[in-house]
Amino acid sequence: MLLAALAATPLPTETLLGEGRYRLESEIGRGGYGITYGALLLESEQRVAIKECVFPGCGREQNNIVVVDEDGAKFLDAWGERVLEQAKQLKAIEHPHLARVFETWRENNTVYVAMELLEGPTLHQHIEAQGALDMQEALNCASELAGALAALHKHNLVHLDVKPENAILTERGAVLLDFDLVQPCDEKDISTRPLSLSGRIGTPGYAPPESYGEHAPQGAASDVYSLGATLYFLLGASTPPSAVDRAAGVELPALDIAPHLHSALEAALQLPIDARPLSVQAFQELWTPPSSPALTDADDFSFTAHEANLAQSRLASGVYRVVLTHSDAEFPQRCACCFEKAERDADIVVNSPSGRRYVPGCQACLRHQSVSRAASSGTGWGAGLSVPLVTIGAYLCATSDSFSQLGAGLLFCLIALFVFFTAINYGALKSSRAEEFLKSSCCHPVEPVTYSFNGQVYIWRFKNVMYAEEFKKKNAPFVV
């Protein structure tokens, strides 16, 4: 009992680490293999997180970590060196949805890792408080985690502990952290659990079956299983049965989700490792809606996660109709054109004989819609003005009884031609300019939404299928 108490004792506040560079402020978390502190990097006053490795079978004497049994000796020697090596590899990886590792060092007979301090609820805390996410929010988070995993896999590392508790919701989206179980992979993308990892199986429900063995092969497909289990939790607010229970015959409860999502989860949560998608990119292709093109270049996401998941062909020709029995529609807080997050004071105005309505939009889409309308109005204005000019010119030429009247008629015709071709060129230039503002996920340059009322029902027509699906879900009680 005394040894257990010693092992659980954190370092005192104000303790200096890293040759005096860091000052501990408070304990902010702990797990089975270490204690995490909030700390201050004194030279820049930057707040960071510092992980102190405290392995099973180890205790503390003053500030030093000491071995108290055979397990402690095994972990401290083999796993301590592994943490140092893999932290160096993690330091070289920069990705917006992966917690940054700054440095690592030995001190107090153990290993410390300084990393980015992230603030916000974990995905697990968010779901516990708010309930299951809607389809698009869940896919956004899953895409962000997929990007982080793709970055790890690109550097021949596997995470092996993906779960909602290990992802924090921040201003830049979901960020993956906790690298306790990270392992290297060889060129065949397979790693084998070292003896020093015996018992480190991750979390039931999220750990794949191969995590329970000492010599079972593991690789990117192991992270696919955990990512699939995490997406299952985001969509259903419940943890899937553990791999051990499922192997014993426990069924995976079905969720009320779209068929393509059900198929994607079923593939990712296959018990045999070789029956799953071999990469997070392949898994992401399975969950991408049928109306969107499959994305295969997720090795290194340089765009936002929801753009990766939702990118649609520019100027999609489909129109997706939603008919409501109620006039007060509820709108997803996404841009109805590109499906990115809606911005304040950027509503898209929808004019119809039934009245004016305002739909969430973004400044970028308002810009290309405005320029496209200018192109149409400029062309129309020029064509409209050239008609009376040509008419006047033709009349003067037809009724001319002098060279001066004939000349005036020809002049009117020339002016009409000049106005017409100037308007055409103006419209072409404006249309080209509008094209420059279009993003890959924009669905229409001018009119992504239309609205009408036929006296009985309210008819909304969208050119963005994802927005139409979310709109339909939000207004489900009133959908015809």
Side-chain angles (χ1 to χ4, degrees), residues 385-410:
L385 182 58
S386 64
V387 170
L389 289 173
V390 167
T391 302
I392 294 171
Y395 175 78
L396 290 174
C397 290
T399 61
S400 65
D401 54 5
S402 64
F403 284 111
S404 61
Q405 186 176 342
L406 180 62
L410 291 174

Side-chain angles (χ1 to χ4, degrees), residues 151-402:
L152 284 175
H153 298 167
K154 187 177 180 180
H155 287 77
N156 295 319
L157 295 172
V158 285
H159 190 277
L160 300 183
D161 200 18
V162 180
K163 57 183 179 179
E165 292 92 334
N166 284 344
I168 287 186
L169 283 176
T170 71
E171 292 182 352
R172 64 180 193 250
V175 179
L176 184 64
L177 67 162
D178 198 335
F179 306 116
D180 282 356
L181 299 187
V182 168
Q183 289 192 61
C185 289
D186 63 19
E187 67 278 1
K188 295 181 180 179
D189 198 31
I190 292 295
S191 63
T192 301
R193 295 168 64 79
L195 185 61
S196 60
L197 279 176
S198 177
R200 296 170 61 85
I201 60 171
T203 303
Y206 301 98
E210 60 268 20
S211 294
Y212 291 82
E214 288 187 12
H215 303 292
Q218 298 180 96
S222 303
D223 282 343
V224 167
Y225 185 100
S226 301
L227 181 60
T230 298
L231 179 55
Y232 181 97
F233 177 81
L234 299 182
L235 291 165
S238 62
T239 301
S242 72
V244 171
D245 287 339
R246 292 182 60 214
V250 176
E251 293 290 331
L252 180 68
L255 301 177
D256 184 15
I257 54 177
H260 73 277
L261 264 182
H262 176 79
S263 299
L265 287 178
E266 190 176 58
L269 293 174
Q270 289 291 312
L271 295 178
I273 188 171
D274 56 1
R276 297 175 215 141
L278 297 179
S279 67
V280 290
Q281 298 95 319
F283 179 29
Q284 190 178 19
E285 289 176 18
L286 293 178
W287 83 51
T288 301
S291 56
S292 300
L295 299 176
T296 58
D297 189 19
D299 285 326
D300 189 10
F301 293 150
S302 59
F303 33 81
T304 63
H306 70 266
E307 284 178 333
N309 184 48
L310 299 173
Q312 300 177 17
S313 59
R314 182 171 289 179
L315 310 183
S317 59
V319 176
Y320 307 92
R321 191 174 75 157
V322 182
V323 181
L324 305 181
T325 58
H326 196 276
S327 61
D328 295 329
E330 183 180 357
F331 298 98
Q333 290 307 301
R334 295 275 181 179
C335 174
C337 180
C338 67
F339 207 71
E340 292 191 12
K341 186 176 180 181
E343 297 177 9
R344 183 178 298 178
D345 300 325
D347 286 348
I348 297 170
V349 180
V350 182
N351 291 306
S352 80
S354 309
R356 174 176 291 185
R357 303 299 296 267
Y358 297 91
V359 179
C362 68
Q363 294 292 345
C365 290
L366 285 186
R367 189 178 300 117
H368 73 65
Q369 290 163 21
S370 175
V371 175
S372 294
R373 289 193 185 96
S376 299
S377 62
T379 302
W381 173 84
L385 182 58
S386 64
V387 170
L389 289 173
V390 167
T391 302
I392 294 171
Y395 175 78
L396 290 174
C397 290
T399 61
S400 65
D401 54 5
S402 64

